[in-house]
Amino acid sequence: MITLHDLQFTPFIAEDKITKAIDDLADKLNEDLTGQKPVFLGILNGSFMFASEVVKRFNDDCEVSFVKLASYSGTETTNEVKELIGLQEDVKGRTIVILEDIVDTGNTIEELLKILKDKGCGEVKVATLFFKPEAYTKENHIDYIGMEIPNKFIVGYGLDYDGLGRNLTDVYQLKSNNMTNLVLFGPPGAGKGTQAEVLKEKYDLVHISTGDVFRYNIKNATELGTLAKSYIDKGQLVPDEVTIDMLNAEVDKNPDAKGFIFDGFPRTEAQAESLGELLSSKGSEVSAMVALEVDDEVLVQRLLERGKTSGRADDADESVIRNRIKVYYDETAILKNYYQKQDKYFGVDGVGGIAEITDRLSTVIDSL
Ligand code: AMP
């Protein structure tokens, strides 16, 4: 996450994806415009980085110019009038390629096309790095689009927030601050499920337990359930691809959630990475990992006790229980380190009464 002035932004589009989009866009320009000696017209300030990348990839003769669109209030009319500043080239009859960093509502493009037509240009093409189809209100055809993006406020790669952020080589989106996303962590039997039920009511969050979703699928004999069962019965982890897809689908079922309690997820670094990407695509992030810390022997006793009533095969057999705890330490406990590095790890004593433990967790959550 980064801060520009008073606002926070989360990573959205990595530079390699942008580079790839520009490669493809430039290929098309080379195909269409070779031999036409086009004038590339970068619209300042935002397009300088994109313009440079496009021009570097154009293999034939061309000219490059940069212009600004300035607004002033006309004397006769109260309507805003736009003026093109900085165009020195004679563009009469020339093929022009407008280079924009982003096309949003399309107002700027519409003005530009009008002005260029008045100047007697030849063919005018529009190339933009980013395009927001949901925001676009005009009819003008956009000839070359690097990437379509949702209607979000973005910075980086030439785009700014109040002057800052243009130098960032990745693109970031405005963070929506209203989500609380908790990773409830701890070994099997630590009490994650019990606490999640209390916390979801208290903080109005959606509780997703990957273990519960797997068990629901096993009970209903779905394809996913059949696949997961063989691993779960042995106390092993279900493969990442399966678990990650399932988790993404569960999150997508709750588009209006104020936040989530992830219980039993992530359990591997790949899962943690993918959770970060998923939340980032929603302008959010993991707020904290809160971990219930409980001694191993207490865990074994708790799970054997639970197995008498839970009906869970993986609670009934002490060797399976011990394997789940071992898997936790071998494969999952590294995530403590992962979130600690981001200053997001909070350990909480998981031994005591239910209400007492809720209080300890709430102290952490209220401080976020
Ligand atoms: P739990 O109810 O969280 O103890 O999960 C029960 C079992 O479901 C685990 O022992 C795993 O076999 C499987 N499982 C649950 N969550 C995950 C996950 N995030 N990754 C892989 N396997 C999982």
Side-chain angles (χ1 to χ4, degrees):
M1 199 183 63
I2 55 159
T3 304
L4 300 173
H5 297 295
D6 55 331
L7 295 182
Q8 293 177 323
F9 295 82
T10 53
F12 184 39
I13 307 170
E15 187 180 9
D16 57 343
K17 288 216 176 106
I18 301 173
T19 306
K20 170 80 179 56
I22 299 176
D23 284 343
D24 294 346
L25 187 147
D27 284 349
K28 292 198 196 95
L29 286 171
N30 276 312
E31 243 169 65
D32 294 352
L33 301 177
T34 295
Q36 296 193 32
K37 220 186 256 187
V39 181
F40 286 108
L41 206 59
I43 312 302
L44 291 173
N45 292 333
S47 77
F48 71 95
M49 219 181 255
F50 171 57
S52 152
E53 295 304 316
V54 169
V55 170
K56 276 193 261 178
R57 289 165 175 76
F58 194 70
N59 300 324
D60 199 24
D61 283 355
C62 62
E63 288 177 36
V64 183
S65 189
F66 286 91
V67 293
K68 252 188 191 206
L69 254 200
S71 323
Y72 65 93
S73 297
T75 45
E76 301 293 306
T77 146
T78 50
N79 283 347
E80 209 177 48
V81 180
K82 295 259 165 103
E83 190 191 16
L84 201 58
I85 303 180
L87 186 64
Q88 252 113 46
E89 290 72 10
D90 180 12
V91 290
K92 212 166 251 149
R94 300 289 301 271
T95 299
I96 308 283
V97 183
I98 297 174
L99 296 177
E100 264 287 26
D101 43 329
I102 186 162
V103 173
D104 201 287
T105 61
N107 286 337
T108 306
I109 285 296
E110 186 154 278
E111 289 290 339
L112 265 171
L113 290 171
K114 253 189 250 160
I115 296 171
L116 290 170
K117 206 171 155 216
D118 286 349
K119 290 190 184 297
C121 297
E123 198 178 10
V124 181
K125 302 268 192 192
V126 180
T128 183
L129 177 54
F130 299 112
F131 178 61
K132 291 184 180 177
E134 292 159 29
Y136 195 61
T137 59
K138 305 291 180 187
E139 299 296 320
N140 306 301
H141 178 63
I142 310 294
D143 305 271
Y144 305 95
I145 293 173
M147 263 184 219
E148 292 195 354
I149 59 165
N151 196 5
K152 294 177 180 206
F153 186 74
I154 59 170
V155 295
Y157 217 87
L159 290 92
D160 73 314
Y161 163 54
D162 199 8
L164 296 183
R166 295 194 195 276
N167 54 325
L168 301 165
T169 51
D170 294 334
V171 163
Y172 293 72
Q173 66 173 322
L174 185 61
K175 181 176 176 234
S176 60
N177 279 313
N178 46 9
M179 272 179 115
T180 304
N181 296 307
L182 304 173
V183 172
L184 198 52
F185 198 61
K192 300 188 292 290
T194 307
Q195 290 300 328
E197 285 305 311
V198 184
L199 294 174
K200 84 169 190 196
E201 297 300 331
K202 184 165 177 186
Y203 293 97
D204 194 14
L205 302 173
V206 174
H207 172 209
I208 300 179
S209 155
T210 39
D212 284 351
V213 180
F214 282 132
R215 281 184 288 277
Y216 175 86
N217 278 278
I218 291 172
K219 206 169 126 209
N220 290 286
T222 66
E223 206 178 315
L224 175 67
T226 316
L227 188 68
K229 189 173 186 319
S230 56
Y231 298 96
I232 294 180
D233 284 351
K234 287 183 236 140
Q236 295 167 353
L237 294 186
V238 177
D240 278 342
E241 316 86 78
V242 178
T243 312
I244 288 171
D245 284 352
M246 181 190 87
L247 189 276
N248 288 1
E250 289 299 313
V251 169
D252 285 342
K253 281 183 197 164
N254 297 281
D256 300 323
K258 288 187 178 165
F260 293 91
I261 300 175
F262 298 102
D263 160 10
F265 190 96
R267 268 171 150 108
T268 64
E269 194 161 327
Q271 292 180 12
E273 295 281 348
S274 113
L275 181 62
E277 282 166 25
L278 177 71
L279 293 176
S280 163
S281 76
K282 300 184 184 308
S284 192
E285 61 182 349
V286 168
S287 316
M289 166 182 266
V290 274
L292 291 167
E293 293 165 345
V294 180
D295 191 69
D296 287 1
E297 290 313 308
V298 178
L299 294 173
V300 175
Q301 288 319 309
R302 277 190 189 177
L303 289 173
L304 283 171
E305 203 46 47
R306 184 170 84 182
K308 290 179 189 163
T309 54
S310 73
R312 281 179 58 169
D314 60 348
D315 282 349
D317 181 330
E318 184 167 336
S319 68
V320 173
I321 290 176
R322 290 201 182 272
N323 191 44
R324 284 159 63 202
I325 296 172
K326 181 175 180 310
V327 167
Y328 172 80
Y329 285 110
D330 289 352
E331 299 180 38
T332 305
I334 50 150
L335 290 180
K336 172 176 177 177
N337 206 347
Y338 182 91
Y339 287 106
Q340 238 165 4
K341 273 195 217 144
Q342 304 177 20
D343 286 328
K344 287 184 180 169
Y345 179 88
F346 301 88
V348 166
D349 180 5
V351 182
I354 293 176
E356 194 183 346
I357 297 171
T358 306
D359 282 347
R360 291 177 200 148
L361 292 168
S362 299
T363 307
V364 172
I365 297 166
D366 294 339
S367 74
L368 294 175

